[in-house]
Amino acid sequence: MLKYVVFGVKMQLNVHDLNNEAVAGNVSDIRVMEFLDEKGTRQEAPAVSGRMLKHWHYELMRQLILSRESSSLSLCSGCKMGEPIRPGHIEEGKLIQVARPEKDSVSSCVICDIHGYLIAQGAKEEGGEGKGGISARRTSRVMFSWLMPVLDTEFTAKQVIHTRVSQQESMAEGQGPAQMVFSKSYASGVYGFVSALDIERIGLVELNLGTGDSRAIEENERKQRAKVAIEAYRYLISGEIGASLSHAIPHAQPIEILVGYSENSPLPFPISPIYSDYIKKYKGIVPKNANILFWSQKNEGIEGVTSKSTINGIFDELLKKLE
């Protein structure tokens, strides 16, 4: 069975609204980061936090689980509602964070298991009384880099004026419709990101390592959880990311997808697709027992790498290795 999977993705995103995080009044500006090119020269361009990518991977996992009526995979109340409060529990009609033993949290919720959680001091012990005071954390089994522009490529960003019109209040006053004007920024470019999924540690209870009670779930359950985590990447790569999907779905186009997997041990993170010759460089550091899959628009073959003619071909192989 798979133990570790890594992704290196290069994609074009046109007119995206993934990182409008600098808000001042009715103006939302785009986040711009400074970085160095391959010559060590300072550059700056729109970039997207790995927290955003991780959130959408979590959201896509949630949607996949809830859409399958026959699914045996369970979610806590917080994850089922799409809230960041996890582990979550409904008490007196209100969602609260609860302090559960790690084994209980892992066994009862796929997302708490794979995406981890932080229980801040003050969380209430489930079923207990008082103010709590228990703190705990579970490290994520899935990791993401920032979404960064591919070096030496062009990018654009533009601020656009939008308006909302309401006739309710103004009509009552006989003044016609009321108009609210606001501005948002949108960007376009060629981007790359890196991600890793540690399948071996899905369902693992860290506090119980070295004992016969270190697994909170059965092996078949672990496979099903790994499958839905891998499937979520398929939708992420399609551009199903961002806070404005109701009106600004990114015009996304995958360009290159590199996937490494191992059935024996963890793998090094991929060299980022923002660099030139990243595939050749990555081949130089992976262990001999690793497998590297690659898809590109050009459908080009690379020595020592298994080329796939479709993106589905990559996911089909990964899911087959989970059987």
Side-chain angles (χ1 to χ4, degrees), residues 6 15-16 20 26 39-40 49 78 95 111 124 145 160 165-167 171 185 224-225 239 271-272 305 307 315 317:
V6 295
V15 195
H16 70 77
N20 278 285
N26 64 340
K39 297 178 182 178
S49 167
L95 178 65
I111 290 173
K124 183 179 178 182
S145 71
V160 177
V165 178
S166 173
Q167 301 186 36
M171 281 184 66
S185 292
Q224 296 306 312
R225 292 184 177 194
I271 303 298
S272 174
V305 174
S307 294
F315 285 93
E317 181 162 336

Side-chain angles (χ1 to χ4, degrees), residues 9-11 16 19 31-37 43-48 146-156 188-193 272-275:
V9 177
K10 184 186 293 186
M11 61 196 305
H16 70 77
N19 52 354
R31 171 176 278 183
V32 174
M33 288 297 292
E34 295 183 350
F35 54 93
L36 302 180
D37 64 17
Q43 307 286 339
E44 66 175 37
V48 181
W146 278 60
L147 184 79
M148 295 290 295
V150 173
L151 301 181
D152 297 324
T153 60
E154 296 289 331
F155 70 90
T156 63
S188 299
V190 180
Y191 299 90
F193 74 87
S272 174
I274 72 172
Y275 298 110

Side-chain angles (χ1 to χ4, degrees), residues 106-138:
V106 170
S107 63
S108 62
C109 181
V110 178
I111 290 173
C112 285
D113 177 14
I114 293 176
H115 274 265
Y117 53 80
L118 174 63
I119 301 176
Q121 188 174 4
K124 183 179 178 182
E125 188 171 3
E126 189 172 20
E129 299 179 358
K131 297 182 179 180
I134 297 174
S135 57
R137 68 189 295 267
R138 177 172 176 81

